[in-house]
Structures are given as structure tokens and as C-alpha cells.
Amino acid sequence: MKKLILFSSLMIIGCAQNNQAHPPVGGILSQEDLNVSKNRAKNLNQTERIQIQDWINNQNEKFYPMSLNYWVNIENLSQKNRKADGEEISYQYVLYDFDNVKLYEVPKKNLNVQFGKFEDLKAVEDALRYLEKNQEATLLVPSVLAFGTYGDNDKIPNDMPLIIKIKVL
């Protein structure tokens, strides 16, 4: 009888519906779910900003905040001429974590991409709008502007801020 009760209890627990971490594709979030998500993102962003600022404080190189919520190693970058939608650019970049570990051996390279039609990270597009041919920059990017909650399903886990070393070709 004890075995039957134990088995029944385990079956009931096993059949209990788990709360989903994310709604199904096309699913609708309740206002409460939206608020939880918004607060999570806000707290994560604050935490990452503090971690990135601490990292910057331990570097010999200076980094400057950009309006899109990332940092770059070029002072007054956003004061330079901004490229308009439709202009083309070729570039490459390498991704690092904040331990300076290179995440992919081969740089990601994109040739003749039009501004306004980017399918790349927002911080990358934003910085490229101000960089000139053969110019290089280092970006410090919070996870929300990198690969976010889901990562890249390969070497970048969820909620991972990145160092991006970018070069205009």
C-alpha cells in the first residue's frame, strides 16, 4: 500500500504542469508577464552596466559611452559624420567575452552591406555609421544589444555581454 501511495504521489507530481519560461512562438503575454520581463531586463542591464564599468576601470585604455547603451574606445565618436541609410560598408569583427577569450576563431565578415538593411547587432551598425575606411574600434556591449536572452545557440550563452573588435574594410 505504501508503494502504491508513493507511486501515485510521484505520478501526480510528475503530471503537474510546469510554468513556461517563455511563451510559445506567437503566444500572448499577460501584463504581469510583461512587467516581470521588463523588470528582469532592467535589473540585468543595471548589473551589466556596473560590471562593464568595473572592467573599464581596470583597463589602461579609455572607453566612452554611446547613446545606444554601449561603450567604444574612440572619444567623441558620435560627433563624427554619420553615414546615412543606403550607404554601403564592408567590415569584420571578432567577439570576445570579458575574460578576453576569443569566442570564434574566424572573424565575422560582411561585404557591401547597406545601412538601414543590417542583419547584425545594433551596436555594430551604430558604431560603423561613424567609422571610416580601415578604422578599428573596440565596443563593450551589454547582452541586450548582443545576443540577449537566448544567446547564439552555439558559443555565446544567454545574457552574455561582449567585447567586439571591429574594423572597416
Side-chain angles (χ1 to χ4, degrees), residues 8-51:
S8 298
S9 299
L10 290 174
M11 289 299 292
I12 290 171
I13 291 170
C15 292
Q17 185 176 5
N18 294 328
N19 289 338
Q20 292 180 332
H22 304 285
V25 174
I28 298 173
L29 289 172
S30 69
Q31 188 61 44
E32 182 182 340
D33 290 337
L34 288 173
N35 289 337
V36 167
S37 178
K38 181 179 171 183
N39 288 333
R40 179 193 176 281
K42 180 180 175 183
N43 292 336
L44 178 63
N45 189 39
Q46 288 174 342
T47 300
E48 287 181 358
R49 287 183 67 81
I50 291 167
Q51 290 171 339

Side-chain angles (χ1 to χ4, degrees), residues 142-158:
S143 64
V144 70
L145 291 176
F147 290 90
T149 302
Y150 300 105
D152 74 344
N153 293 319
D154 192 3
K155 296 188 182 219
I156 300 171
N158 64 316

Side-chain angles (χ1 to χ4, degrees), residues 76-112:
N76 298 319
L77 182 64
S78 63
Q79 305 303 313
K80 298 186 180 209
N81 288 333
R82 186 177 191 274
K83 294 174 184 68
D85 284 353
E87 289 187 53
E88 287 189 351
I89 192 163
S90 296
Y91 62 96
Q92 69 181 24
Y93 62 84
V94 180
L95 301 172
Y96 297 84
D97 65 16
F98 273 82
D99 291 324
N100 277 321
V101 174
K102 189 187 249 185
L103 300 172
Y104 291 98
E105 286 304 314
V106 178
K108 178 167 177 149
K109 185 185 264 188
N110 288 307
L111 303 174
N112 304 317

Side-chain angles (χ1 to χ4, degrees), residues 125-138:
E125 179 179 6
D126 187 65
L128 285 170
R129 285 187 182 267
Y130 301 102
L131 296 174
E132 299 299 324
K133 188 170 181 136
N134 296 319
Q135 192 172 13
E136 297 179 29
T138 300

Side-chain angles (χ1 to χ4, degrees), residues 57-72:
N57 293 341
N58 290 314
Q59 303 304 305
N60 293 327
E61 186 174 20
K62 288 191 175 191
F63 288 86
Y64 307 92
M66 296 290 284
S67 62
L68 194 59
N69 191 28
Y70 68 94
W71 291 259
V72 65

